[in-house]
Amino acid sequence: MAILQILQYPDERLHTVAKKVEKVDEKTRKLVRDMAETMYAAPGVGLAATQVDVHERIIVLDISETHDDLMVLINPEILSASGEQLGEEGCLSVPGIYETVRRSNNITVRALDEKGEPFTVEAEGFLAVCIQHEMDHLQGKVFVEYLSQLKQTRLRAKLKKRRREAL
Ligand code: GNR
Ligand code: NI
């Protein structure tokens, strides 16, 4: 297994649109294992392949406190969405920044698991937030893009300053 490097916003590569996985094979499963290890080590509750600079539609998630409930979503598709919720979000690609985002409260998602078997998951609340957050990454979208332009400009300045001081 291996811990992968997570791209940091603003990085152009975070805006790449991921491609469908054509065949779930041993290479896919190795990436899934490395993504899970990277997510648990961070620690985070989810990780999209985009964040480790692999532009394929692959997500790992685990919102359990015990880190023993891994969910793998390959080629996820939202079949239905309803309701609204506001929640504080963070992102491993934008460390230390937490902002409120409006999301659907209930979603039904169809995806393939790591064996290539299709399954459907009904998610609500925080799990639904996480799945939507990760699916955005696969479309090249980072949660801060939901903020006002003014907030985004201030955020980029803050991250630049932080990076300067970290050197
Ligand atoms: O670890 C994470 N926590 C989190 C908290 C609120 C809403 C979304 C998330 S996902 C994030 C990990 C991450 O960046 N996934 O892309
Ligand atoms: Ni994220």
Side-chain angles (χ1 to χ4, degrees), residues 65-119:
E65 275 176 16
T66 40
H67 288 187
D68 60 358
D69 194 16
L70 182 68
M71 186 188 288
V72 177
L73 297 166
I74 298 171
N75 298 340
E77 280 180 80
I78 294 195
L79 300 180
S80 66
S82 64
E84 270 188 9
Q85 58 176 326
L86 289 176
E88 280 267 295
E89 295 194 19
C91 182
L92 295 172
S93 294
V94 199
I97 304 295
Y98 301 90
E99 295 283 353
T100 303
V101 179
R102 182 188 309 273
R103 301 279 189 186
S104 297
N105 191 55
N106 299 273
I107 56 172
T108 304
V109 178
R110 187 175 167 79
L112 304 178
D113 65 16
E114 69 274 23
K115 290 172 192 139
E117 299 290 338
F119 69 102

Side-chain angles (χ1 to χ4, degrees), residues 29-30 43 116 162:
R29 283 185 281 275
K30 181 185 184 329
R162 197 192 278 171

Side-chain angles (χ1 to χ4, degrees), residues 45 61 63 85-90 101-107 123-136:
V45 296
L61 284 164
I63 62 166
Q85 58 176 326
L86 289 176
E88 280 267 295
E89 295 194 19
V101 179
R102 182 188 309 273
R103 301 279 189 186
S104 297
N105 191 55
N106 299 273
I107 56 172
E124 64 172 342
F126 186 59
L127 179 59
V129 167
C130 292
I131 294 175
Q132 291 170 83
H133 175 114
E134 304 311 338
M135 287 185 70
D136 274 351

Side-chain angles (χ1 to χ4, degrees), residues 3-156:
I3 292 184
L4 309 170
Q5 196 183 322
I6 299 175
L7 298 178
Q8 299 295 302
Y9 176 88
D11 185 312
E12 282 306 308
R13 293 170 289 179
L14 285 169
H15 302 304
T16 312
V17 178
K19 292 200 171 73
K20 188 171 168 230
V21 175
E22 292 301 338
K23 189 166 179 289
V24 178
D25 55 17
E26 225 17 80
K27 192 169 143 268
T28 315
R29 283 185 281 275
K30 181 185 184 329
L31 175 61
V32 164
R33 286 193 299 271
D34 288 346
M35 284 174 61
E37 192 183 13
T38 303
M39 171 184 75
Y40 288 128
V45 296
L47 190 71
T50 308
Q51 291 175 279
V52 295
D53 203 22
V54 176
H55 303 287
E56 295 180 32
R57 295 184 59 79
I58 303 172
I59 290 167
V60 294
L61 284 164
D62 189 344
I63 62 166
S64 74
E65 275 176 16
T66 40
H67 288 187
D68 60 358
D69 194 16
L70 182 68
M71 186 188 288
V72 177
L73 297 166
I74 298 171
N75 298 340
E77 280 180 80
I78 294 195
L79 300 180
S80 66
S82 64
E84 270 188 9
Q85 58 176 326
L86 289 176
E88 280 267 295
E89 295 194 19
C91 182
L92 295 172
S93 294
V94 199
I97 304 295
Y98 301 90
E99 295 283 353
T100 303
V101 179
R102 182 188 309 273
R103 301 279 189 186
S104 297
N105 191 55
N106 299 273
I107 56 172
T108 304
V109 178
R110 187 175 167 79
L112 304 178
D113 65 16
E114 69 274 23
K115 290 172 192 139
E117 299 290 338
F119 69 102
T120 302
V121 57
E122 283 186 30
E124 64 172 342
F126 186 59
L127 179 59
V129 167
C130 292
I131 294 175
Q132 291 170 83
H133 175 114
E134 304 311 338
M135 287 185 70
D136 274 351
H137 277 302
L138 300 180
Q139 291 301 328
K141 185 157 180 161
V142 179
F143 84 105
V144 297
E145 291 169 58
Y146 288 107
L147 305 176
S148 68
Q149 283 305 325
L150 177 62
K151 276 199 170 185
Q152 288 184 52
T153 303
R154 286 181 178 158
L155 177 63
R156 280 192 291 267

